[in-house]
Amino acid sequence: MYARWQRQVYTRLRAKSGTRTASASTPADFWRAAVAPYWNRMRAHYEAECDARGRMVMAGGVEQLLAGLGRGAVWNGQVLQLQDGPDGDVRLDGKGLVLSPSVFLAQRPARLFRADEERGQAVLVFSALPNAEQSALLWDDTTPPSQALAALVGQTRAAALRELRASRTTTQLADRLGVSAPCASQHAAVLRESGLITTRRVRNTVLHSVTPLGMALLDGRTAAAGHALGPKPVPSSAGV
């Protein structure tokens, strides 16, 4: 999962040091080599993960959310037990708990950071590992051309696609783009028919989300993805 990322990071660190040793002299150097090149894609992955977890809460409450953290995390209705967690009990004392996804927790389901003076709330960082397809997109080392996406789909639809990194309703998309709801619906329909977004119904509303093909375009891989553009069948239940 991390082999491609590791090779790229080592290459950047060696180029930075001018030697065969891959080392970072400061945390900022490591950030620039290991995280910054992928941050937009990581952020999109995290937004999608948070959106999915939010739907879990809507469907089954906090209990379903905590019970779905994976092996090594056990929710018994009142207490969350973590494998390799902190010694002793961590009480929230009514301050709540911040949940934050991470693509780098491969060996454990979650890690808990206690509240302190700087952090008013305890933070639970949970594993949000990408699947094989997502991993290939996440760690791709392609530098996106500045105007390629807008040239391919148009300025407004390019903006819509960027906004749909996080799932949104038609009304929310219209507000973000500063256009009318019918206009946003039309743009969503074109993006969906091209395979760049999907639309699914959640109770009484519909949510639009970017597809892997749309992510490839957002990340600048238009040469690889452009040939796949074309009308896609739309499920009869889909709507805008």
Side-chain angles (χ1 to χ4, degrees), residues 15 74 85 134 201 240:
V74 179
Q134 292 169 334
R201 186 171 297 278
V240 292

Side-chain angles (χ1 to χ4, degrees), residues 37-55:
Y38 315 100
W39 179 241
N40 286 339
R41 280 164 279 178
M42 290 170 62
R43 184 173 60 183
H45 180 75
Y46 291 152
E47 288 174 348
E49 182 69 25
C50 289
D51 180 68
R53 298 287 174 169
R55 292 195 300 273

Side-chain angles (χ1 to χ4, degrees), residues 6-29:
Q6 288 174 335
R7 288 194 300 268
Q8 295 169 4
V9 172
Y10 289 159
T11 298
R12 295 190 190 99
L13 290 176
R14 285 195 294 265
K16 174 72 174 178
S17 65
T19 68
R20 293 186 177 183
T21 302
S23 61
S25 58
T26 67
D29 286 340

Side-chain angles (χ1 to χ4, degrees), residues 150-182:
L152 188 63
V153 300
Q155 292 283 356
T156 303
R157 286 172 191 155
L161 197 59
R162 285 191 290 269
E163 291 295 340
L164 293 178
R165 285 181 182 269
S167 297
R168 303 188 192 280
T169 66
T170 302
T171 300
Q172 290 171 334
L173 179 61
D175 290 341
R176 301 284 294 191
L177 296 177
V179 300
S180 66

Side-chain angles (χ1 to χ4, degrees), residues 42-113:
M42 290 170 62
R43 184 173 60 183
H45 180 75
Y46 291 152
E47 288 174 348
E49 182 69 25
C50 289
D51 180 68
R53 298 287 174 169
R55 292 195 300 273
M56 290 177 65
V57 173
M58 293 174 61
V62 175
E63 292 80 5
Q64 182 174 332
L65 172 66
L66 296 178
L69 289 177
R71 297 175 60 183
V74 179
W75 171 252
N76 67 13
Q78 292 183 324
V79 176
L80 179 66
Q81 298 176 325
L82 295 177
Q83 178 182 342
D84 298 326
D87 295 332
D89 296 337
V90 176
R91 300 185 182 278
L92 301 181
D93 296 326
K95 295 181 180 179
L97 177 68
V98 176
L99 273 70
S100 178
S102 173
V103 298
F104 295 113
L105 280 180
Q107 305 300 324
R108 59 175 65 182
R111 184 172 181 180
L112 183 67
F113 295 88

Side-chain angles (χ1 to χ4, degrees), residues 139-226:
W139 307 128
D140 185 36
D141 196 28
T142 304
T143 301
S146 59
Q147 299 298 325
L149 177 59
L152 188 63
V153 300
Q155 292 283 356
T156 303
R157 286 172 191 155
L161 197 59
R162 285 191 290 269
E163 291 295 340
L164 293 178
R165 285 181 182 269
S167 297
R168 303 188 192 280
T169 66
T170 302
T171 300
Q172 290 171 334
L173 179 61
D175 290 341
R176 301 284 294 191
L177 296 177
V179 300
S180 66
C183 182
S185 178
Q186 183 179 17
H187 287 309
V190 172
L191 293 173
R192 184 174 63 248
E193 290 167 3
S194 298
L196 301 179
I197 69 170
T198 60
T199 299
R200 64 191 183 281
R201 186 171 297 278
V202 179
R203 296 185 180 178
N204 295 326
T205 116
V206 293
L207 287 174
H208 308 293
S209 304
V210 70
T211 64
L213 176 60
M215 285 295 297
L217 285 177
L218 285 169
D219 292 332
R221 299 183 301 137
T222 52

